[in-house]
């Protein structure tokens, strides 16, 4: 069994812990947290060993009646792989800790690409992470784009990608974020960082991205244009996309008009926390005009990178190839 | 003096009435309204003659203490031109009334293009409306796109337009509209109606548009891509756009990040009702990548067609050419 430590137990970390716990070949070595908040308490409820991420604050856990098993150093020492799910920028600061213990580490997409030897998306470049000590799972939006672009690239060739990302202002739990009643170009300058980030996965791809932020919390929305190198009809492309294990092509009959009903659908399916690990792509929106492909897809910012983190653990160890790992992850999650 | 009747005194009609009233060569013959609501009362406050739009409901005005000058038939009979600013679909029903009185009529973009002999944008095809009996001013979004595309077409040639329109869910006064906390592909199918509508102004243009609806009320936002036929640098294109009288290029120094501060700016400028008649285009967003042009522009759905309606009145009568009319309209409005 691979022992996986999770440093950071917030939006991503807690989901990765549950996903690791569900795998047949992995176990959670423990989770590290800076404060004894509701998530720390829930970690203990789930039976995960809890480690204090900041030595100076370790006492707070005992005072709050939350049992810890030690400090984050101990967790890193006894893990085969660590998933760093700390806030943007903290992962880079933690790199020295992982190096000290010679523990391979997986970082999140909020870190700069140079934190790691390789940026990772299971569908696109799984094998590149084999044997790497530092791997970065790209952000939710870059993951969503990579999953879509990999099959289009393979089947039809991609001449150019132009995509507008209409981003949620904050997650449902981030009460301090905005905007309220506004539509913000974000950033105002073009391209947004997403295009260059996709290039960490597809180095030669010609891609321009534009970002906006709106008063919504549930999911991101991508308005996608890809100029292909050939001229498939829309039905054919829709079938290719529906055949991808991490793209859910939404039938018109479902009557799902936006991200609200999508999340409701996830909850009705019994998904933990109402998560949508797949790209959610409207079948009706798949359109071709000559060599131009268009579609809308929604991306669940809190969860779509979760299965990618699980696969990254296996990619590093070389235990399974991409196909086997993705199938194992999906099967364990019920995806 | 051209006597202009305005049938429909809601969001667009009341603004057109004020704009007509401000012109040196026009006067408001009167305005027609279905109900004696707050807008009807304000019309009287402003000194406009008020006509009942529905005979069966004419008594309601007297009962509410709002004086009328007659029925809409009377208004049409004594107007040189009528601007129909009734809700979508009602304009087409009213066409017979205007024909009966042989009064030229201007319709709004909510009507199907075939309601009129010509679809109109002052910057793009002013002269086509000369002598027409029925002219349709295209919708707010189509107006915004036409104003942007006309100079790009003239200066650089346009190979293809791909634009995502992130639309406000409803106007500030439309309390019954949504969405709340959602991002809706709207329509889910591609293209949205905007591309074909732009083709009523530029018949040969290759354009694909995608529509979304978000929880905001202030303005629409366009994420624009235009593949040009040449390769200008961004500064040059920015200068061309800044030279257009109905495009406001926003300097970075203004510190305007979204539609909220934009509307605040309009109010600080003393604009009536905080209106923004121009396309509001972020200078910082003007980008060229090879032959690909990108930008963000915000469109004030309640007011950008107002100067176009004024120009359409003159275009029909042939009283002025495009340049003189646009200059006169802008000058009278303080634009």
């Amino acid at each position: 069994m691979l022992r996986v430590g999770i440093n950071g137990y917030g939006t991503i970390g807690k989901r990765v812990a549950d996903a690791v716990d569900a795998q047949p070949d992995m176990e959670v070595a423990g989770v590290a947290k800076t404060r004894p908040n509701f998530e720390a308490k829930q970690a203990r409820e789930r039976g995960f060993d809890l480690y204090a991420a900041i030595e100076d604050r370790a006492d707070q856990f005992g005072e709050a009646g939350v049992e810890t098993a030690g400090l984050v150093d101990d967790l890193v020492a006894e893990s085969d792989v660590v998933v760093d799910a700390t806030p943007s920028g903290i992962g880079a600061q933690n790199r020295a800790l992982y190096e000290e213990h010679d523990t391979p580490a997986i970082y999140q997409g909020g870190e700069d690409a140079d934190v790691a030897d390789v940026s990772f998306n299971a569908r696109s470049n799984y094998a590149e992470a084999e044997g790497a000590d530092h791997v970065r799972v790209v952000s939710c939006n870059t993951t969503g784009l990579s999953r879509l672009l990999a099959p289009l690239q393979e089947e039809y060739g991609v001449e150019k990608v132009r995509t507008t990302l209409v981003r949620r202002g904050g997650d449902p739990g981030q009460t301090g974020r905005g905007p309220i009643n506004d539509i913000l170009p974000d950033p105002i300058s073009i391209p947004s960082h997403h295009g260059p980030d996709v290039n960490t996965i597809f180095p030669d791809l010609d891609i321009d991205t534009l970002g906006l932020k709106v008063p919504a919390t549930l999911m991101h929305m991508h308005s996608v244009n890809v100029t292909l190198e050939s001229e498939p009809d829309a039905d054919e492309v829709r079938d290719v996309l529906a055949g991808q294990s991490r793209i859910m092509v939404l039938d018109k009959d479902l009557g799902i008009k936006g991200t609200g009903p999508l999340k409701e659908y996830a909850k009705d399916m019994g998904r933990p926390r109402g998560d949508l690990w797949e790209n959610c792509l409207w079948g009706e929106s798949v359109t071709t005009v000559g060599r131009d492909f268009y579609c809308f897809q929604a991306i669940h910012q809190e969860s779509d990178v979760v299965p990618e983190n699980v696969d990254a653990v296996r990619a590093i160890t070389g235990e399974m190839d991409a196909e086997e790992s993705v199938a194992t992850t999906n099967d364990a999650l019920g995806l």
Side-chain angles (χ1 to χ4, degrees), chain A:
Chain A
M1 295 287 269
L2 279 167
R3 288 178 57 76
V4 182
I6 291 126
N7 188 9
Y9 191 78
T11 303
I12 299 299
K14 64 190 178 187
R15 288 173 164 88
V16 170
D18 287 353
V20 164
D21 196 41
Q23 303 304 311
D25 55 341
M26 299 183 189
E27 62 186 6
V28 176
V31 305
K33 187 98 189 99
T34 55
R35 282 190 188 80
N37 72 350
F38 74 93
E39 286 162 329
K41 290 178 184 184
Q42 279 294 313
R44 290 299 302 136
E45 289 285 325
R46 283 167 196 253
F48 297 141
D49 284 341
L50 186 63
Y51 294 79
I54 300 176
E55 193 168 354
D56 291 351
R57 291 197 203 148
D59 291 349
Q60 292 182 9
F61 288 85
E63 289 159 14
V66 179
E67 186 196 359
T68 52
L71 296 176
V72 66
D73 280 74
D74 306 318
L75 174 62
V76 175
E78 65 178 85
S79 297
D80 296 321
V81 178
V82 169
V83 176
D84 185 298
T86 59
S88 292
I90 308 295
Q93 294 175 25
N94 288 337
R95 186 179 151 128
L97 172 68
Y98 308 137
E99 283 174 336
E100 197 178 308
H101 292 281
D102 211 15
T103 305
I106 294 164
Y107 304 86
Q108 304 308 307
E111 303 301 321
D112 290 339
D114 63 11
V115 74
D117 314 316
V118 56
S119 286
F120 178 86
N121 171 254
R123 176 62 181 81
S124 312
N125 71 341
Y126 181 99
E128 287 176 30
E130 188 171 339
D133 286 327
H134 303 275
V135 171
R136 168 179 166 267
V137 170
V138 291
S139 73
C140 55
N141 282 314
T142 306
T143 294
L145 287 172
S146 298
R147 288 177 180 165
L148 178 65
L149 293 171
L152 293 176
Q153 176 93 283
E154 288 163 15
E155 294 287 331
Y156 310 111
V158 168
E159 182 179 297
K160 175 136 197 171
V161 182
R162 302 171 185 87
T163 292
T164 296
L165 300 100
V166 183
R167 297 158 61 204
R168 60 78 177 111
D171 296 339
Q174 295 177 308
T175 49
R177 310 252 309 227
I180 298 171
N181 196 25
D182 208 335
I183 308 173
L184 307 177
D186 181 49
I188 295 173
S189 58
I190 296 163
S192 66
H193 73 274
H194 307 93
D197 206 30
V198 168
N199 286 137
T200 67
I201 303 286
F202 302 90
D204 301 322
L205 196 75
D206 187 1
I207 177 167
D208 298 327
T209 54
L210 298 91
L212 290 159
K213 221 154 69 173
V214 300
T217 64
L218 303 178
M219 301 178 79
H220 298 296
M221 184 74 71
H222 295 178
S223 171
V224 178
N225 165 244
V226 181
T227 305
L228 303 168
E229 287 173 350
S230 54
E231 267 191 57
D233 72 24
D235 289 340
E236 186 191 331
V237 185
R238 194 181 298 111
D239 287 347
V240 166
L241 298 176
Q244 305 298 310
S245 74
R246 289 181 186 163
I247 298 182
M248 184 197 292
V249 174
L250 303 165
D251 277 348
K252 190 176 179 177
D253 295 344
L254 295 173
I256 291 174
K257 307 282 187 200
T259 65
L262 247 176
K263 290 281 293 167
E264 193 68 9
Y265 183 40
K267 287 183 276 184
D268 284 355
M269 285 192 287
R271 288 286 183 86
R273 298 183 177 89
D275 284 351
L276 285 158
W277 299 296
E278 315 93 327
N279 294 17
C280 301
L281 191 152
W282 276 267
E284 230 184 313
S285 75
V286 172
T287 303
T288 55
V289 179
R291 292 191 291 116
D292 275 313
F293 160 87
Y294 296 95
C295 76
F296 292 115
Q297 66 174 1
I299 299 297
H300 186 214
Q301 72 279 2
E302 298 169 293
S303 74
D304 83 327
V305 299
V306 170
E308 307 295 328
N309 274 277
V310 173
D311 291 326
V313 170
R314 291 201 196 91
I316 286 178
T317 63
E319 185 206 338
M320 293 182 190
D321 66 12
E323 197 178 348
E324 194 183 355
S325 176
V326 168
T328 304
T329 304
N330 290 355
D331 191 47
L333 292 176
L335 182 153

